């Protein structure tokens, strides 16, 4: 079976949000992707904190996909659950917890342990979102004002 890959596009990815209502935005990319972002409780929309958690889980999934598919085959099932409550007094998420759910029942205990070590190494090495959250990052804000 030939491996399918996405077409390579070397254009820089542009990301932005546009206000669509009171405390509601649509996130967009120049690749045509969209995501609804709003306050908690708005149907069909993610909060920014939820998107951060989803980005972490997705990054873990993408980083672990190759070692898992190499051992389990291309059709393995995986779910990554992520949770963590906000500290509203300080407006931070002090801890995020991920759980990678896999069926490894076909592997013996030694093979499971080797695979999990390999997956952890792959995530630690390649998950940019997780590495950024662990290291912290500098964030800047500038203004482009019509005067």
């Amino acid at each position: 079976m030939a491996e399918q890959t996405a077409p390579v596009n070397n254009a820089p990815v542009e990301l932005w949000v546009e206000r669509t209502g009171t405390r509601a935005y649509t996130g967009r990319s120049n690749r045509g992707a969209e995501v609804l972002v709003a306050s908690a409780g708005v149907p069909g929309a993610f909060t920014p904190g939820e998107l951060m958690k989803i980005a972490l889980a997705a990054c873990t999934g993408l980083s672990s996909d190759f070692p898992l598919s190499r051992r389990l085959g291309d059709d393995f099932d995986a779910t990554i659950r992520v949770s963590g409550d906000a500290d509203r007094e300080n407006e931070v998420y002090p801890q995020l917890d991920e759980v990678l759910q896999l069926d490894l029942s076909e592997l013996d205990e030694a093979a499971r342990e080797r695979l999990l070590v390999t997956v952890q190494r792959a995530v630690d090495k390649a998950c940019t979102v997780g590495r950024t959250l662990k290291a912290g990052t500098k964030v800047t804000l500038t203004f482009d004002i019509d005067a």
Side-chain angles (χ1 to χ4, degrees):
M1 180 177 187
E3 184 177 337
Q4 293 197 345
T5 58
V8 176
N9 180 352
N10 292 327
V13 177
E14 296 178 28
L15 304 171
W16 67 97
V17 296
E18 296 174 354
R19 186 172 190 268
T20 55
T22 302
R23 294 184 48 83
Y25 288 77
T26 298
R28 302 183 192 282
S29 81
N30 62 337
R31 293 189 313 244
E34 292 185 352
V35 63
L36 303 179
V37 186
S39 298
V42 173
F46 292 105
T47 68
E50 290 166 345
L51 285 174
M52 179 182 64
K53 292 175 195 177
I54 287 172
L56 175 63
C59 190
T60 294
L62 292 171
S63 298
S64 64
D65 204 72
F66 181 70
L68 287 170
S69 65
R70 188 174 59 224
R71 185 65 176 95
L72 302 176
D74 287 336
D75 295 330
F76 74 93
D77 292 326
T79 300
I80 299 123
R81 299 194 183 280
V82 60
S83 61
D85 294 330
D87 170 352
R88 289 297 172 205
E89 185 175 317
N90 295 301
E91 289 300 332
V92 297
Y93 289 89
Q95 181 170 331
L96 298 176
D97 300 305
E98 294 180 281
V99 177
L100 174 48
Q101 298 173 310
L102 297 165
D103 180 359
L104 301 181
S105 60
E106 298 297 317
L107 304 178
D108 64 40
E109 186 175 339
R112 280 194 303 268
E113 191 59 37
R114 282 191 306 272
L115 179 58
L116 295 178
V117 167
T118 300
V119 167
Q120 184 69 61
R121 285 183 185 148
V123 171
D124 289 344
K125 180 180 178 184
C127 180
T128 305
V129 175
R131 291 172 59 89
T132 300
L133 289 170
K134 289 175 186 176
T137 193
K138 179 181 175 181
V139 177
T140 63
L141 172 65
T142 59
F143 297 92
D144 182 0
I145 306 295
D146 292 333

